[in-house]
Each structure stands twice: as structure tokens, then as C-alpha cells.
Amino acid sequence: MAEAGHNSGMAEKDQQVLFFINRNEYVRLLEAKKAADAALRNHGKQIKADLGENGMRQIKLYEELRTPEGEAKFKAQRAADAQAAAWAGLPVNTQADMFSDLAPLDERAFNVGEEAGLRGDTLANPYDENSHHGREFKRGWESGQAKLAEGIKQKKAEASTTERIVGDDAGPADEDDADPFEDAEAA
């Protein structure tokens, strides 16, 4: 990285040009960040509407659990929570829930494949494709892809039937209030 002020020997007009090049890029990136932040906030509202109060927490936890560090953090937090729950008299880690996550390998292969399909991952079968488990993974992935495609289609259909708000919030829309994005939607 260049040392700060390394261009101090330049002519002032050249420094001015560099100033504006850097200023313009900063402003462009800042505007992009503001737009991305607004889009993320709006999507957070959509997640809450679609999945409820805990939807965003679930998505963040899911992403965190996809890393070894996140999984270790979750396990430590869960152990601490279980300890506090036990102190409060809530039965946890009892014999009743001891086998709750055990499933046959075929079912687990299908479930892992389905999750990969729902995430939109490309088909990367961790099993031998000619084995029964490999076929179950692929069947799960295809099921996940189909569910994902159907969900996307349904969301688009719902979005196209929702009421469009035209004009400002002051009152009913006038005929003069044209949708500035109407032409873009037709493209």
C-alpha cells in the first residue's frame, strides 16, 4: 500500500484531479451502500411478514451454523441455555428427546440433499451417485429445487396481485400520477 501523502510532490492541479477521482468513487460507493442498507431493511420486513417474529433470527442462525466456528458457538450457547433451563426446573436433555435427531441414513441423505436444493446450491452429491444414499441425496436435491422454484413462482404471483400504490401518501392517486417504473416492468 502506498504511503499516505506520497503524491505531495505532485502539482496542485494533478492532486485536484486525484482528489475528485477519489471523491467521486467515495460518493458512488456511499450511495450504493445506502441503497443496499435500505434494501436489506426492506427485506428484513418481508422476512418478518413471511416467517414471523423469529424468521430473521432463524436465517442468521442457519448461516452461522454453516461454519465450524458458528457450530461451536451454538453448541456452547445451547449448553449454557440447557444448564440455566435445568436450574429453572425445565426438563431438557431428558430421555424423551435423546433420540429425536436420529434418522436412517437414507432419510438423512434425502434431507441434506433437499436442503442443498432449497439453498439453490448446484448438485454436488457427497455420496457415490450410484449408491442408494447417492440417489436419495439427488432425489432430495431435486425435491428442494422444485419447492424453491414453486415458492419463487408463488411469491411472484402474490407480488403481481398486490395493490400498487401510485402517487404520494397524501390521498387517492390522481390519473396524472404515473408509475415511473411501469416501462421497466414491461421490458
Side-chain angles (χ1 to χ4, degrees):
M1 184 169 178
E3 183 181 323
H6 74 283
N7 290 325
S8 59
M10 296 178 92
E12 187 172 340
K13 66 179 181 165
D14 294 333
Q15 284 182 333
Q16 183 183 30
V17 169
L18 284 176
F19 168 84
F20 280 104
I21 289 171
N22 285 294
R23 177 259 175 212
N24 294 345
E25 181 67 2
Y26 173 79
V27 169
R28 183 189 70 77
L29 292 171
L30 187 60
E31 289 301 316
K33 179 184 180 300
K34 288 177 183 177
D37 288 345
L40 190 59
R41 276 191 307 277
N42 288 334
H43 188 62
K45 292 174 185 175
Q46 185 64 50
I47 288 169
K48 185 176 180 180
D50 288 348
L51 301 176
E53 193 67 37
N54 292 313
M56 182 61 79
R57 185 186 61 77
Q58 287 178 304
I59 289 172
K60 288 178 179 180
L61 178 61
Y62 175 85
E63 289 302 316
E64 186 177 325
L65 290 173
R66 295 187 68 211
T67 66
E69 300 83 12
E71 186 178 334
K73 180 181 172 184
F74 173 76
K75 286 178 179 179
Q77 181 66 49
R78 186 162 181 191
D81 290 347
Q83 187 177 42
W87 291 338
L90 182 68
V92 291
N93 294 329
T94 59
Q95 194 168 11
D97 70 355
M98 188 165 67
F99 298 107
S100 63
D101 65 347
L102 297 180
L105 184 55
D106 291 352
E107 187 179 327
R108 285 184 284 173
F110 177 88
N111 292 340
V112 170
E114 187 173 49
E115 180 184 333
L118 284 166
R119 274 196 312 266
D121 293 352
T122 56
L123 178 59
N125 199 331
Y127 304 99
D128 177 359
E129 293 179 14
N130 296 317
S131 72
H132 184 65
H133 308 309
R135 289 188 294 276
E136 284 300 298
F137 179 90
K138 183 177 180 185
R139 193 171 70 82
W141 181 84
E142 289 169 345
S143 171
Q145 287 281 287
K147 287 179 181 179
L148 182 62
E150 185 60 34
I152 291 170
K153 189 189 313 182
Q154 184 177 350
K155 289 284 277 179
K156 285 183 180 178
E158 288 172 5
S160 68
T161 60
T162 57
E163 182 180 331
R164 291 174 44 175
I165 299 172
V166 180
D168 59 18
D169 294 336
D174 295 334
E175 290 179 17
D176 295 338
D177 292 335
D179 182 356
F181 301 105
E182 196 167 69
D183 293 335
E185 290 176 355

